[in-house]
Amino acid sequence: MSADKLSLRYAKSLFDEAVSTGSLDTVFSDLGVVAAALQSSKELQLLYKSPIVKGPKKQAITQALFSGKVTQTTANFLSLVVTQGREAYLSNILASFNRLYNQTKGISEVTVTTATELDADNEQKIASFIKQQSGYPNVKINKKVDASIMGGFIIDFGGKWYDNSVRYKLSKVEKELMA
């Protein structure tokens, strides 16, 4: 089974459980805690991917890390993932859950990369553009700063790229001059 199918299957099962118990927003918040822990700790990422560390040890570490920080539904899910030996896919599972959550809540999630910090006026313009393109009433913008684009912006929206950066425009001019 591919990583995408596996991740979606586990995410869907947690999503369905959260919807049936009326705890969707709480589980979403819990998974934010788990995602933050994974992103901030290379050691935790390596632990979950390690074939040397056995399941019971991973289970104990997972329980110690998240006990009291997440609800019982989320804790049970994490336990299931580790018991089934799927902890290496946890980041993918979290991403799949986020996509399901966003679809249900009508949220378009985009990543905007700019050379400098994005100001409120331009953020509002981008949000309006994304609302118009997606048809979703809500937009969540993840901001990134990358000085190498020299100016302008790059929007990653649902697998589509809108590249309006100075770097891209310069590369186009360079290709035209070389042709």
Side-chain angles (χ1 to χ4, degrees):
M1 181 181 308
S2 76
D4 289 338
K5 281 185 178 181
L6 181 140
S7 300
L8 183 58
R9 186 170 286 174
Y10 276 84
K12 182 93 171 89
S13 70
L14 177 60
F15 185 84
D16 291 345
E17 176 66 18
V19 168
S20 71
T21 60
S23 60
L24 182 60
D25 291 329
T26 305
V27 170
F28 177 75
S29 177
D30 288 349
L31 294 182
V33 170
V34 176
L38 281 171
Q39 288 176 346
S40 67
S41 174
K42 285 284 187 203
E43 294 83 9
L44 185 58
Q45 292 173 25
L46 292 173
L47 169 78
Y48 282 153
K49 292 179 181 176
S50 173
I52 296 168
V53 181
K54 300 300 177 203
K57 181 76 170 172
K58 290 179 183 180
Q59 190 76 269
I61 292 170
T62 301
Q63 186 175 0
L65 279 174
F66 299 111
S67 179
K69 296 178 183 160
V70 297
T71 61
Q72 193 60 46
T73 301
T74 306
N76 290 344
F77 177 75
L78 292 173
S79 178
L80 173 73
V81 168
V82 174
T83 301
Q84 295 296 317
R86 304 300 194 195
E87 62 277 356
Y89 300 100
L90 193 53
S91 292
N92 296 23
I93 294 168
L94 298 178
S96 293
F97 186 92
N98 281 343
R99 282 191 296 277
L100 292 169
Y101 181 85
N102 287 343
Q103 286 172 351
T104 300
K105 296 290 185 173
I107 300 170
S108 288
E109 189 166 354
V110 299
T111 301
V112 178
T113 305
T114 53
T116 59
E117 202 60 42
L118 186 63
D119 62 39
D121 185 42
N122 284 326
E123 185 175 342
Q124 186 59 40
K125 287 177 185 175
I126 290 169
S128 295
F129 171 75
I130 298 300
K131 285 179 186 177
Q132 182 183 34
Q133 293 295 313
S134 69
Y136 284 167
N138 303 307
V139 175
K140 178 182 176 190
I141 297 178
N142 300 315
K143 301 176 212 170
K144 291 167 92 177
V145 176
D146 180 1
S148 73
I149 70 169
M150 298 184 235
F153 57 87
I154 300 170
I155 300 174
D156 180 5
F157 162 58
K160 297 177 185 173
W161 278 64
Y162 298 97
D163 194 340
N164 192 26
S165 66
V166 173
R167 178 179 65 193
Y168 175 71
K169 290 176 181 178
L170 286 174
S171 72
K172 280 178 56 175
V173 169
E174 181 182 29
K175 286 178 185 175
E176 286 177 16
L177 290 174
M178 296 300 213

